[in-house]
Amino acid sequence: DLGDLLDGFNALTTRGGHQLPQNMTNKEAFDCAFEFKNIILEGLVKYYSFILFNNVCNDNHAGDFGYFLNQQFKSYAELKYSNLKVTNHVTFISHYVIGDVLFLISHGKDDSTLKFGFKPQLDTKQIEKINQYIKHHKLYGKHKRIIFKKGDSHQFILDMATSDDFDYFNYLAGSPSSQWVQNNFKKGKRGFVIESFTGAESTILPIFINR
């Protein structure tokens, strides 16, 4: 979960000044998102011996509202099943390791300071910011592959060439575009991505939702 699962508490972004059109109350949105998380949970436990959920809880729409949701989900899921772990990441960039791969995750915008955040295409400023994070945590030289994963832009863009040190992946949103986005840009596509890793090598399958 790369953030913005909930679209703002009391119809506001985390900075409070941007009013968001809503079709659900806070309670309805929370209940819907919690049900969505549980549908995923119950679908996965049938097939996997161990499940790791990583949720980004530092973004520009859900903010603390998203953190409350994910903490509720963590308590519920870990109590119900012993073969899973839920990690809720509260920093702007976080990381975890599976096998040979280091995954850096971020929503792309944070809850207070970054108005523009990470762009869909890497630039030198963004490369330096990611490099500094990796150096600060002394992560270079320990893994065969590093992948930076982000949400926010609602685009499916896989960049494995701009940086020599890491891949830069943008992911689709599961939700349809808002009316504002459709009016100002275009409807766009929504969906999710299935990735399968063997060592550091991966296969990537985007699933587009057409309804």
Side-chain angles (χ1 to χ4, degrees):
D1 176 358
L2 293 173
D4 276 4
L5 178 63
L6 290 163
D7 190 35
F9 189 75
N10 287 337
L12 293 169
T13 61
T14 55
R15 292 173 182 82
H18 183 185
Q19 193 78 26
L20 302 165
Q22 303 288 297
N23 59 5
M24 287 188 285
T25 65
N26 291 333
K27 297 182 183 70
E28 289 169 338
F30 185 96
D31 291 344
C32 179
F34 188 71
E35 180 182 359
F36 170 73
K37 290 271 184 180
N38 280 294
I39 289 172
I40 295 174
L41 169 65
E42 297 301 332
L44 292 175
V45 293
K46 303 172 186 176
Y47 302 103
Y48 295 97
S49 59
F50 183 77
I51 303 166
L52 177 62
F53 288 90
N54 284 280
N55 302 310
V56 171
C57 300
N58 190 326
D59 53 38
N60 60 313
H61 279 244
D64 288 348
F65 197 18
Y67 176 76
F68 300 154
L69 167 72
N70 283 313
Q71 282 295 95
Q72 170 72 13
F73 176 71
K74 174 181 174 68
S75 298
Y76 172 81
E78 292 183 348
L79 181 64
K80 187 173 183 180
Y81 296 106
S82 60
N83 63 326
L84 62 82
K85 180 181 179 183
V86 180
T87 302
N88 296 324
H89 302 274
V90 296
T91 54
F92 175 53
I93 302 175
S94 303
H95 69 272
Y96 61 95
V97 177
I98 297 180
D100 297 325
V101 185
L102 167 66
F103 296 97
L104 309 178
I105 56 173
S106 175
H107 174 63
K109 293 191 183 85
D110 75 339
D111 56 4
S112 58
T113 60
L114 290 170
K115 184 176 181 180
F116 299 105
F118 283 104
K119 302 172 185 176
Q121 285 84 30
L122 269 175
D123 60 24
T124 54
K125 184 178 179 180
Q126 292 168 182
I127 291 174
E128 178 61 19
K129 187 183 293 291
I130 296 169
N131 275 330
Q132 287 300 319
Y133 178 92
I134 298 171
K135 290 176 182 177
H136 175 77
H137 291 277
K138 298 179 173 60
L139 298 171
Y140 274 127
K142 297 181 179 180
H143 314 284
K144 291 183 179 179
R145 187 176 180 187
I146 301 174
I147 306 175
F148 184 93
K149 296 169 170 281
K150 64 172 285 289
D152 184 53
S153 59
H154 299 199
Q155 299 180 60
F156 182 53
I157 303 173
L158 308 179
D159 182 351
M160 292 172 273
T162 302
S163 170
D164 293 332
D165 301 307
F166 57 85
D167 298 335
Y168 186 78
F169 289 0
N170 293 261
Y171 289 90
L172 295 159
S175 59
S177 301
S178 68
Q179 191 64 54
W180 184 89
V181 170
Q182 292 186 44
N183 288 346
N184 287 275
F185 300 97
K186 63 177 184 176
K187 185 176 181 180
K189 295 182 178 181
R190 65 189 183 109
F192 57 94
V193 179
I194 298 173
E195 295 179 61
S196 177
F197 285 83
T198 303
E201 300 299 318
S202 63
T203 57
I204 301 172
L205 176 65
I207 307 294
F208 295 100
I209 302 171
N210 296 317
R211 57 183 174 84

